[in-house]
């Protein structure tokens, strides 16, 4: 969830934070996430399970004036799915980060992902979302900004990147990789 939360700062994407019931079973937003976005709207819902059922949350999302939303929640089959389906019903394009939430069984996750996919939600993992936003290593953010981020949040890819960096330094790049 921390990696998912950090995507917005990497790409300077507006963000709306929310909790369902801070005094209830899910508790407060983790400080590690809240501290990333101290000036972002934090909607403290009164218990609504589907965030879209809260008018303050709906207003905050609409105020961003965006038609595409990347989301995740504590649980795939409730927090993510309910909101994703509500947002799709309102005409938003939704990217659900399949790695940033979980649930109690593989079956529940599959069922929730199937329902979201059937409703037109785009299911992607964190790496695919980041690459989709970046589009080209030469962009900004691109190679210089994204590789350190990936090294922190997806170390396996960091190893690949460091291998590429070593090839640049020692002159063993494959043909066509010089501009990357």
């Amino acid at each position: 969830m921390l990696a998912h939360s950090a995507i917005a700062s990497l790409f300077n994407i507006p963000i709306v934070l929310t909790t369902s019931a801070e005094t209830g079973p899910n508790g407060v937003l983790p400080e590690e996430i809240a501290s990333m976005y101290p000036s972002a709207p934090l909607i403290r819902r009164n218990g609504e399970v589907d965030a879209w059922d809260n008018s303050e949350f709906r207003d905050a999302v609409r105020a961003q004036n965006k038609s595409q939303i990347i989301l995740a929640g504590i649980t795939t089959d409730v927090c993510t799915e309910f909101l994703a389906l509500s947002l799709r019903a309102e005409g938003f394009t939704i990217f659900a980060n399949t790695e940033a939430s979980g649930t109690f069984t593989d079956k529940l996750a599959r069922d929730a992902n199937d329902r979201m996919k059937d409703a037109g939600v785009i299911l992607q993992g964190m790496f695919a979302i980041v690459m989709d936003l970046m589009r080209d290593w030469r962009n900004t953010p691109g190679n210089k900004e994204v590789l350190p981020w990936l090294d922190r949040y997806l170390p396996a890819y960091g190893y690949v990147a460091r291998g590429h960096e070593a090839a640049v330094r020692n002159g063993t790049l494959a043909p066509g990789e010089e501009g990357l």
Side-chain angles (χ1 to χ4, degrees):
M1 187 61 88
L2 291 177
H4 173 81
S5 299
I7 291 171
S9 62
L10 178 63
F11 292 98
N12 196 27
I13 297 171
I15 188 167
V16 176
L17 304 168
T18 189
T19 58
S20 61
E22 289 190 355
T23 58
N26 293 332
V28 299
L29 188 71
E31 180 56 33
E32 296 87 348
I33 295 171
S35 66
M36 288 182 194
Y37 305 102
S39 61
L42 171 55
I43 310 306
R44 292 174 171 93
R45 302 188 323 266
N46 296 313
E48 299 93 342
V49 175
D50 181 345
W52 201 246
D53 290 342
N54 179 283
S55 62
E56 188 179 355
F57 179 81
R58 285 193 309 271
D59 292 345
V61 169
R62 288 180 176 138
Q64 304 304 316
N65 198 30
K66 300 292 181 185
S67 62
Q68 298 179 333
I69 297 175
I70 302 168
L71 64 84
I74 299 297
T75 61
T76 305
D77 55 325
V78 175
C79 304
T80 302
E81 179 190 345
F82 290 8
L83 179 57
L85 296 179
S86 292
L87 289 165
R88 282 295 299 136
E90 293 285 327
F92 290 93
T93 300
I94 304 303
F95 298 82
N97 186 338
T98 57
E99 295 178 300
S101 62
T103 195
F104 304 103
T105 68
D106 289 342
K107 181 186 180 328
L108 290 173
R110 277 191 311 275
D111 291 348
N113 286 332
D114 287 347
R115 283 188 295 276
M116 287 189 286
K117 185 176 178 183
D118 289 348
V121 174
I122 300 159
L123 304 174
Q124 289 185 310
M126 178 189 66
F127 185 67
I129 290 171
V130 169
M131 293 298 102
D132 200 12
L133 289 166
M134 182 186 69
R135 307 298 292 181
D136 188 321
W137 288 106
R138 298 166 295 181
N139 285 343
T140 301
N143 186 55
K144 181 180 174 190
E145 299 82 12
V146 173
L147 284 179
W149 189 93
L150 288 169
D151 201 29
R152 177 176 182 181
Y153 293 109
L154 188 59
Y157 193 82
Y159 296 134
V160 172
R162 283 193 294 283
H164 176 77
E165 182 182 20
V168 169
R169 282 196 316 269
N170 68 25
T172 59
L173 282 175
E177 288 187 342
E178 298 83 4
L180 295 177

